[in-house]
Structure formats: structure tokens, C-alpha cells
Amino acid sequence: MNQVTHPTIEAGEKILPVCERWCANVLQLHSPEKLELLKDHVIEVNQDGWIQALRPLSTGEIVEHDYRGLMIAPGFIDPHMHYPQLDVIGSAAEGLLPWLEAYTFPTEAAFHDLERARQTADKVLDELIRHGVTSASVYCTSHPNSVEAFMQASSDRRMAMMAGKVLQDRHSPDGLRDNTEQSLRDSQDLIERWHGRSRLSYVITPRFAPTSSEAQLRGCAELAASFPGVRIQSHVAENQAEIEWVRSLFPADRSYMAVYDRLGLLQKHSIWAHCIYIDDDDRALMREKSVFAAVCPSSNLFLGSGLFDFAMANFDWGLASDVGGGSSFSPFRTMMGAYEIARLQGYYLSPSRLWWHQSIGSAKALGWEDCSNGIAPGKPADFVVIDPQATPLLQHRWNTCTTLEQKLFCLIVLGDDRHINETIIAGRAAKKSLPNPG
């Protein structure tokens, strides 16, 4: 994300003392097609939470965290979610716009209250950790308090997070609608306060074109251009009714994506959620501008929005939960949804490609340096310990698989939060320290 990063540890540099050693079979994701499992390898983590070495376990060696027989993998990344929508997961509606009006907008209006925002931020981050998600790009609400709460909670956990205040100055209810100029001033204040602090990045967040005036959208583009490393995120081409609304508001523009392009929002590494109803011209524009599509299978199925065309995805993309339109925090469920959608369209997404786009592949496409090189010396110690023996059925299938691809696919199909034995954030075990969910 062009955020504050730590230098790679090179030979001859001062080496900090190792304070933790983790041993397991280590999954290395080299590309969407190339991966390997390093048997009984040790990850050495220094006192600052950075990986200092990755090496085979020595004969007779004793390590602090011995997980032999389990698998360590890079932490999962969720490039699109709404933390204030925790309380609307599983709310039935006839489509996106009715869902927003009936559930989302009334719930988000309460986030002017800092304590409500703090409590929800804590619950959402804990839930991400339970599911092995170590980083995410997150929508707050139109209230600056919602950003303050989420950023502080993320900083307290030493998590690499992107988040931003939602901007929406029209076609929005009282309590959420903001003032054009004030919304931009608030966004700038939040950038100056949080971007680059701890492991945090700010992302300018207009909700979507129908709820922002042209002045606000243009102001978002100008603000991002003034702060190198600050990204933009929004929604595009998710739902047919939404697209008709955009067409009525912007009749001179060729497409929904073209609206954002005309107003300067398609900046490098900007994040565009959904991208279901796009054409070849839009795809070419996305490649030209080096923007990123956050694909949300669970949400698109749940709201009946449509099916993303994976076969035509010749631009950077990753897999996202879209909680709370999405129905699960679990990356396994998200990957499974993507697989099923692709199969419905006669396209095959391999297990390695799914895993790539749910983890470091997304970070690489976003230029998010803190998260983009997996498990390697000089990189943050953000990883998950996966236990394929945690449930009888997966244990059985895991033991009958003969290839790594088969094993990963069984995890995608049968895995859930029970199989996340531990989530490591900046070298610290985070899951087992959480409050009892019961």
C-alpha cells in the first residue's frame, strides 16, 4: 500500500534477538500456479514481529511452538468488507437497494456513537482473527468516530489494515448523509492522523456513485492525488437496479465504470468491489489504470446480484467477504463460492489460484508491501496455523488426498474457523487470547 514498511533483513545488518520459533509444514505460494509445502520448517520471529529466518528443523531441536503435522500458511486477506454491518449479516431482502434501505442504513446511522463503534470494531476484528484473516480493506461509516474506533482497535492488535470514512452527500438518509466540503475535510484530517501510523493505511471511501455528488467524487480523487500511498475504494456494477440508477444520474457516461474514470477515481491500486456487469471497454480501462477488483461471491449470491465472470478477469482481482452483504467471515466459504460461480459458467478455478487470490496475490496486486511476500525473512510474521485434523470428515479426506492441490481443495470445501488453530499477528499468537465466543 506504499505505507510505512520495514526493510528486508539483509546479510550484514544488525539482527534482533529471536523471541519465538514456530515449526510446522509451511505453505509457500510463489504464484497462482506454483506452490509448495515445506515439511517441518521453522519460522524464526524477532522481538519486533518480523520473520528473521525460514529453515528446516534441525535434528533433536526443540521449538517453542511445535505444530508438526499441521500447516502454516500466509494470513488470509479480505480486500472488501464493511465492519459496521456486523449486525445485518443474514438479513433477507429482495435485492441490494432494498437491503441497504431496510437494514444497512439504519444500522450504520448509530455509528456516530464512539462506544458503539468501539464495541463493533472489537467484535469484527476478533471474528477476522478467528477465521485466519490477518489484513483487510474496510469500510467504516460516514462518521469520523467510526474510523477512530476501527483504526485504534486495529493498532492495538498490530494488524495491517486499510480503512476509511464513507462519503455520501446525497440520496442518503438523515444521520448518514454528510456535507460535501466537510466530508473531504474530515477525510483529510483522518488521513493525517492515521495513514502510516502503526501498520495502518487510509483508503478514501465514497460509498458508490449514486450517493455522492460529482463534486464529492472529484474531491475524493483530488484528495487521493495529494497523499501518495492513500488508496480509493468504492463499489461498481454490482446490481442491475443500481446500474439503472447510475444511468439515470449520469446519462452522458458510457458506463458505470466510465463515471469514475471521468472524475479521476480510477487511480493505481484503487479497489472496486463487485465488477459484475462490466464490458470489454471497462476491462481494458481497468488494465490500463492498474486498478483492482474485489470479487464478492458470497454477497453476490446472497443478494442475488449476479455472477462475476472469472473467465474474463484479465485484470487484477482478489476474493472478498463483503460482510455484511456477504454471509461469512470465512475465507474458505469465500473461495468455495468463487469456485462454484466459476463452475456454473463452465470455468475452472484451481485450488492454488483460489488460495492465491484470497491471500498474498491480493496484496501483491494492491502493492500492499506489508502483506505481499508471504512467509519470508524480512517480512511481517502474519500467518495462520491450520489443523486439518480438527474435524473427523476433513481429517479423513486430508489423509486420503495424494497431492497438495487436493488437500487445499478439501480445506476450501470442508474448512471453517475450527481448522484455524492459531492466527499469528506480527509474531504474536492472537486467536487463543480472544475472549470465549460462547
Side-chain angles (χ1 to χ4, degrees):
M1 275 293 300
N2 292 343
Q3 61 188 37
V4 176
T5 58
H6 292 244
T8 300
I9 297 171
E10 301 287 356
E13 292 188 9
K14 182 179 178 181
I15 303 298
L16 294 171
V18 171
C19 63
E20 303 281 352
R21 293 174 179 85
W22 304 78
C23 180
N25 300 324
V26 178
L27 179 66
Q28 293 287 70
L29 302 171
H30 302 294
S31 74
E33 296 83 22
K34 183 182 178 183
L35 70 169
E36 62 179 328
L37 194 63
L38 305 177
K39 183 173 175 57
D40 294 344
H41 269 55
V42 175
I43 303 169
E44 295 184 349
V45 179
N46 68 28
Q47 62 190 18
D48 282 351
W50 295 78
I51 297 172
Q52 193 147 292
L54 174 64
R55 58 173 177 78
L57 180 71
S58 301
T59 302
E61 181 180 4
I62 298 174
V63 298
E64 296 92 327
H65 307 284
D66 191 341
Y67 287 103
R68 276 176 289 180
L70 278 61
M71 183 176 77
I72 284 178
F76 292 115
I77 293 170
D78 190 337
H80 178 75
M81 67 167 299
H82 301 254
Y83 99 84
Q85 294 179 13
L86 176 70
D87 292 344
V88 302
I89 296 173
S91 299
E94 295 182 356
L96 171 66
L97 299 182
W99 181 81
L100 288 171
E101 293 170 3
Y103 304 110
T104 303
F105 288 163
T107 298
E108 289 191 5
F111 278 73
H112 65 87
D113 177 23
L114 182 59
E115 186 56 32
R116 169 69 179 274
R118 284 173 174 162
Q119 291 176 4
T120 305
D122 285 339
K123 290 176 182 177
V124 166
L125 290 171
D126 289 352
E127 204 63 34
L128 290 173
I129 289 169
R130 288 187 210 283
H131 286 87
V133 177
T134 53
S135 298
S137 186
V138 178
Y139 284 55
C140 302
T141 70
S142 57
H143 313 97
N145 273 349
S146 70
V147 182
E148 294 286 346
F150 187 82
M151 291 297 208
Q152 187 61 61
S154 299
S155 178
D156 291 345
R157 291 162 174 78
R158 302 180 70 194
M159 298 179 80
M161 285 284 173
M162 293 189 286
K165 168 195 145 43
V166 166
L167 296 97
Q168 48 185 109
D169 65 353
R170 65 172 181 170
H171 303 142
S172 303
D174 293 343
L176 282 184
R177 187 174 58 255
D178 54 18
N179 172 271
T180 307
E181 293 303 319
Q182 187 62 49
S183 69
L184 296 168
R185 284 195 295 270
D186 288 342
S187 296
Q188 180 168 339
D189 289 345
L190 290 163
I191 291 169
E192 292 170 346
R193 174 166 167 75
W194 290 107
H195 184 68
R197 176 176 166 183
S198 183
R199 302 178 66 200
L200 304 173
S201 297
Y202 196 86
V203 54
I204 297 167
T205 308
R207 182 181 287 278
F208 62 164
T211 53
S212 284
S213 65
E214 291 206 12
Q216 189 175 62
L217 292 171
R218 192 175 289 108
C220 289
E222 293 169 354
L223 188 59
S226 299
F227 288 91
V230 170
R231 302 286 191 258
I232 295 170
Q233 64 180 356
S234 192
H235 301 80
V236 66
E238 176 181 0
N239 171 277
Q240 291 285 14
E242 168 207 21
I243 291 169
E244 288 303 315
W245 191 12
V246 171
R247 187 174 289 119
S248 71
L249 295 171
F250 302 93
D253 289 290
R254 181 191 61 79
S255 70
Y256 195 161
M257 189 76 74
V259 174
Y260 292 127
D261 183 44
R262 176 173 60 82
L263 297 172
L265 290 143
L266 296 189
Q267 298 184 18
K268 187 175 183 180
H269 298 315
S270 54
I271 304 169
W272 301 96
H274 304 293
C275 300
I276 297 174
Y277 301 102
I278 57 175
D279 59 22
D280 288 342
D281 289 337
D282 293 330
R283 295 183 185 98
L285 188 60
M286 294 175 72
R287 291 196 307 277
E288 175 193 344
K289 301 289 186 176
S290 297
V291 305
F292 177 88
V295 184
C296 308
S298 171
S299 172
N300 298 156
L301 291 169
F302 179 75
L303 293 171
S305 297
L307 307 180
F308 179 83
D309 192 342
F310 288 99
M312 297 297 289
N314 53 5
F315 42 79
D316 289 334
W317 60 274
L319 295 174
S321 71
D322 195 24
V323 163
S327 53
S328 175
F329 283 86
S330 173
F332 299 127
R333 297 281 68 74
T334 300
M335 288 188 280
M336 187 60 192
Y339 176 83
E340 291 174 331
I341 286 172
R343 292 305 304 130
L344 284 171
Q345 299 170 308
Y347 188 70
Y348 175 71
L349 288 171
S350 69
S352 59
R353 183 169 291 274
L354 289 164
W355 211 281
W356 172 263
H357 286 290
Q358 187 67 77
S359 58
I360 64 173
S362 286
K364 284 182 178 293
L366 287 170
W368 198 352
E369 294 298 329
D370 255 12
C371 314
S372 62
N373 285 296
I375 299 169
K379 296 301 174 183
D382 291 349
F383 51 85
V384 292
V385 181
I386 297 174
D387 181 4
Q389 318 294 327
T391 56
L393 179 55
L394 183 52
Q395 179 183 34
H396 171 75
R397 284 294 291 118
W398 182 270
N399 292 333
T400 59
C401 291
T402 58
T403 68
L404 179 56
E405 286 269 343
Q406 290 174 0
K407 289 176 183 289
L408 292 184
F409 192 62
C410 283
L411 269 168
I412 290 169
V413 175
L414 300 172
D416 56 39
D417 59 301
R418 293 171 295 176
H419 299 95
I420 304 297
N421 183 286
E422 187 54 276
T423 301
I424 313 303
I425 305 290
R428 298 177 182 174
K431 182 174 180 179
K432 288 188 175 67
S433 65
L434 295 179
N436 189 319

